[in-house]
Coordinates of all heavy atoms in Angstrom, one line a residue:
P1 N -68.9 -120.8 -66.9 CA -67.5 -121.0 -67.2 C -66.6 -119.9 -66.4 O -65.5 -120.3 -66.0 CB -67.4 -120.8 -68.7 CG -68.7 -121.2 -69.2 CD -69.7 -120.7 -68.1
G2 N -67.1 -118.7 -66.3 CA -66.4 -117.7 -65.6 C -66.1 -118.0 -64.1 O -65.2 -117.5 -63.5
R3 N -66.9 -118.9 -63.6 CA -66.7 -119.3 -62.2 C -65.9 -120.6 -62.1 O -65.2 -120.8 -61.1 CB -68.1 -119.5 -61.5 CG -68.0 -119.3 -59.9 CD -69.3 -119.0 -59.3 NE -70.2 -120.1 -59.2 CZ -71.5 -120.1 -59.6 NH1 -72.0 -118.9 -60.0 NH2 -72.3 -121.1 -59.4
S4 N -66.1 -121.5 -63.0 CA -65.4 -122.8 -62.9 C -64.1 -122.8 -63.5 O -63.2 -123.6 -63.2 CB -66.3 -123.9 -63.6 OG -66.3 -123.6 -65.0
G5 N -63.8 -121.9 -64.5 CA -62.5 -121.8 -65.2 C -62.5 -122.8 -66.4 O -61.5 -122.9 -67.1
I6 N -63.6 -123.4 -66.7 CA -63.7 -124.3 -67.9 C -64.1 -123.5 -69.1 O -65.2 -123.2 -69.3 CB -64.7 -125.5 -67.6 CG1 -64.3 -126.2 -66.3 CG2 -64.8 -126.4 -68.8 CD1 -65.4 -127.2 -65.9
T7 N -63.1 -123.2 -69.9 CA -63.3 -122.4 -71.1 C -63.3 -123.2 -72.4 O -63.6 -122.7 -73.5 CB -62.2 -121.3 -71.2 OG1 -60.9 -121.9 -71.2 CG2 -62.3 -120.4 -70.0
W8 N -62.9 -124.5 -72.3 CA -62.8 -125.3 -73.5 C -64.2 -125.5 -74.1 O -65.2 -125.6 -73.4 CB -62.3 -126.7 -73.0 CG -62.2 -127.8 -74.1 CD1 -61.1 -128.1 -74.8 CD2 -63.2 -128.7 -74.4 NE1 -61.4 -129.2 -75.6 CE2 -62.7 -129.6 -75.4 CE3 -64.6 -128.9 -74.0 CZ2 -63.4 -130.6 -76.0 CZ3 -65.3 -130.0 -74.6 CH2 -64.7 -130.8 -75.5
V9 N -64.3 -125.6 -75.5 CA -65.5 -125.8 -76.2 C -65.4 -126.9 -77.2 O -64.4 -127.0 -77.9 CB -65.9 -124.5 -76.9 CG1 -67.2 -124.7 -77.7 CG2 -66.1 -123.3 -75.9
H10 N -66.4 -127.7 -77.3 CA -66.4 -128.9 -78.2 C -66.6 -128.3 -79.6 O -67.5 -127.5 -79.9 CB -67.5 -129.9 -77.9 CG -67.5 -131.0 -78.8 ND1 -68.5 -131.2 -79.7 CD2 -66.7 -132.1 -79.0 CE1 -68.3 -132.3 -80.4 NE2 -67.2 -132.8 -80.0
D11 N -65.8 -128.8 -80.6 CA -66.0 -128.5 -82.0 C -66.4 -129.8 -82.7 O -65.7 -130.8 -82.7 CB -64.6 -128.0 -82.6 CG -64.8 -127.5 -84.0 OD1 -65.6 -128.1 -84.8 OD2 -64.0 -126.6 -84.4
N12 N -67.7 -129.8 -83.2 CA -68.1 -131.0 -83.9 C -67.9 -131.1 -85.4 O -68.3 -132.1 -86.0 CB -69.6 -131.2 -83.6 CG -70.5 -130.1 -84.3 OD1 -69.9 -129.1 -84.8 ND2 -71.8 -130.3 -84.3
A13 N -67.1 -130.2 -85.9 CA -66.7 -130.2 -87.3 C -67.9 -130.1 -88.3 O -67.8 -130.6 -89.4 CB -65.9 -131.5 -87.6
M14 N -68.9 -129.4 -87.8 CA -70.1 -129.4 -88.7 C -69.8 -128.8 -90.0 O -69.2 -127.7 -90.1 CB -71.2 -128.6 -88.0 CG -72.5 -128.5 -88.7 SD -73.8 -127.6 -87.9 CE -74.2 -128.8 -86.6
S15 N -70.3 -129.4 -91.0 CA -70.1 -128.9 -92.4 C -71.4 -129.0 -93.2 O -72.4 -129.7 -92.8 CB -69.0 -129.7 -93.1 OG -69.5 -131.1 -93.3
E16 N -71.4 -128.5 -94.4 CA -72.6 -128.5 -95.3 C -72.8 -130.0 -95.8 O -74.0 -130.3 -96.2 CB -72.5 -127.6 -96.4 CG -71.2 -127.9 -97.3 CD -71.1 -127.0 -98.5 OE1 -72.1 -126.8 -99.2 OE2 -70.0 -126.4 -98.6
F17 N -71.8 -130.8 -95.7 CA -71.9 -132.2 -96.2 C -72.6 -133.1 -95.2 O -73.0 -134.2 -95.5 CB -70.6 -132.7 -96.6 CG -69.9 -131.8 -97.6 CD1 -68.9 -131.0 -97.3 CD2 -70.3 -131.9 -98.9 CE1 -68.3 -130.2 -98.3 CE2 -69.7 -131.1 -99.9 CZ -68.7 -130.3 -99.6
R18 N -72.8 -132.7 -93.9 CA -73.4 -133.5 -92.9 C -72.9 -134.9 -92.8 O -73.6 -135.9 -93.0 CB -74.9 -133.5 -93.2 CG -75.6 -132.1 -93.1 CD -75.5 -131.6 -91.7 NE -76.3 -130.4 -91.4 CZ -75.9 -129.1 -91.6 NH1 -74.7 -128.9 -92.1 NH2 -76.7 -128.2 -91.3
Y19 N -71.6 -135.0 -92.5 CA -71.0 -136.3 -92.3 C -71.4 -136.8 -90.9 O -71.5 -136.1 -89.9 CB -69.4 -136.2 -92.3 CG -68.9 -135.7 -93.7 CD1 -68.2 -134.5 -93.8 CD2 -69.1 -136.5 -94.8 CE1 -67.7 -134.1 -95.0 CE2 -68.6 -136.1 -96.1 CZ -67.9 -134.9 -96.1 OH -67.4 -134.5 -97.4
L20 N -71.7 -138.1 -90.9 CA -72.3 -138.7 -89.7 C -71.5 -138.5 -88.4 O -72.1 -138.2 -87.3 CB -72.5 -140.2 -89.9 CG -73.3 -140.9 -88.8 CD1 -74.7 -140.3 -88.6 CD2 -73.5 -142.4 -89.2
P21 N -70.2 -138.6 -88.4 CA -69.4 -138.4 -87.1 C -69.6 -137.0 -86.5 O -69.4 -136.8 -85.3 CB -67.9 -138.6 -87.5 CG -68.0 -139.5 -88.7 CD -69.3 -139.0 -89.5
E22 N -70.0 -136.0 -87.3 CA -70.2 -134.7 -86.8 C -71.3 -134.6 -85.7 O -71.2 -133.7 -84.8 CB -70.6 -133.7 -87.9 CG -69.6 -133.6 -89.0 CD -70.2 -132.8 -90.2 OE1 -71.3 -132.3 -90.1 OE2 -69.5 -132.7 -91.2
T23 N -72.2 -135.5 -85.7 CA -73.4 -135.4 -84.8 C -73.3 -136.4 -83.6 O -74.1 -136.3 -82.7 CB -74.7 -135.8 -85.6 OG1 -75.8 -135.3 -84.8 CG2 -74.8 -137.2 -85.9
C24 N -72.2 -137.2 -83.5 CA -72.2 -138.3 -82.5 C -71.4 -137.9 -81.2 O -71.6 -138.5 -80.2 CB -71.7 -139.6 -83.1 SG -72.8 -140.3 -84.3
G25 N -70.5 -137.0 -81.3 CA -69.6 -136.7 -80.2 C -70.2 -135.7 -79.2 O -71.1 -135.0 -79.6
S26 N -69.8 -135.7 -77.9 CA -68.5 -136.4 -77.5 C -68.6 -136.7 -76.1 O -69.6 -136.2 -75.4 CB -67.4 -135.5 -77.9 OG -66.1 -136.1 -77.7
G27 N -67.6 -137.4 -75.5 CA -67.7 -137.9 -74.1 C -66.9 -137.1 -73.1 O -66.2 -136.1 -73.5
C28 N -67.1 -137.5 -71.8 CA -66.4 -136.8 -70.8 C -66.2 -137.7 -69.6 O -66.8 -138.8 -69.6 CB -67.2 -135.5 -70.4 SG -68.9 -135.9 -69.9
A29 N -65.4 -137.3 -68.6 CA -65.1 -138.1 -67.5 C -64.8 -137.4 -66.2 O -64.2 -136.3 -66.3 CB -63.9 -139.1 -67.8
F30 N -65.1 -137.9 -65.1 CA -64.6 -137.5 -63.8 C -63.5 -138.5 -63.5 O -63.7 -139.8 -63.5 CB -65.7 -137.6 -62.7 CG -66.6 -136.4 -62.7 CD1 -67.8 -136.4 -63.3 CD2 -66.2 -135.2 -62.1 CE1 -68.7 -135.4 -63.3 CE2 -67.1 -134.1 -62.0 CZ -68.3 -134.2 -62.6
L31 N -62.3 -138.1 -63.0 CA -61.3 -138.9 -62.6 C -60.3 -138.2 -61.7 O -60.2 -137.0 -61.8 CB -60.5 -139.5 -63.8 CG -59.5 -138.6 -64.5 CD1 -58.5 -139.4 -65.3 CD2 -60.2 -137.7 -65.5
D32 N -59.7 -138.9 -60.8 CA -58.7 -138.3 -59.9 C -57.3 -138.7 -60.5 O -56.7 -139.6 -60.0 CB -58.9 -138.8 -58.5 CG -57.9 -138.1 -57.5 OD1 -57.2 -137.2 -57.9 OD2 -57.8 -138.6 -56.4
Y33 N -56.9 -138.0 -61.5 CA -55.7 -138.4 -62.2 C -54.4 -138.2 -61.3 O -53.4 -138.9 -61.5 CB -55.5 -137.6 -63.5 CG -54.9 -136.3 -63.4 CD1 -53.5 -136.1 -63.7 CD2 -55.5 -135.1 -63.0 CE1 -52.9 -134.9 -63.6 CE2 -54.9 -133.9 -62.9 CZ -53.6 -133.8 -63.2 OH -52.9 -132.5 -63.1
D34 N -54.5 -137.2 -60.4 CA -53.3 -136.9 -59.6 C -53.3 -137.5 -58.2 O -52.4 -137.2 -57.4 CB -53.0 -135.4 -59.6 CG -54.2 -134.6 -59.1 OD1 -55.2 -135.2 -58.7 OD2 -54.1 -133.4 -59.1

């Protein structure tokens, strides 16, 4: 990250209740938006 500048971190909302959506994410993409 120190070289790429990508400092964002995924938060999966993990809790003691172990809700199913916590374990399924998440996606990403390459795109030329500009």
Side-chain angles (χ1 to χ4, degrees):
R3 201 159 78 224
S4 68
I6 301 172
T7 58
W8 177 94
V9 176
H10 179 253
D11 187 328
N12 65 350
M14 183 179 288
S15 70
E16 61 179 308
F17 301 104
R18 294 300 191 269
Y19 297 117
L20 188 59
E22 297 171 7
T23 194
C24 294
S26 191
C28 56
F30 281 99
L31 74 158
D32 182 10
Y33 86 98
D34 53 4

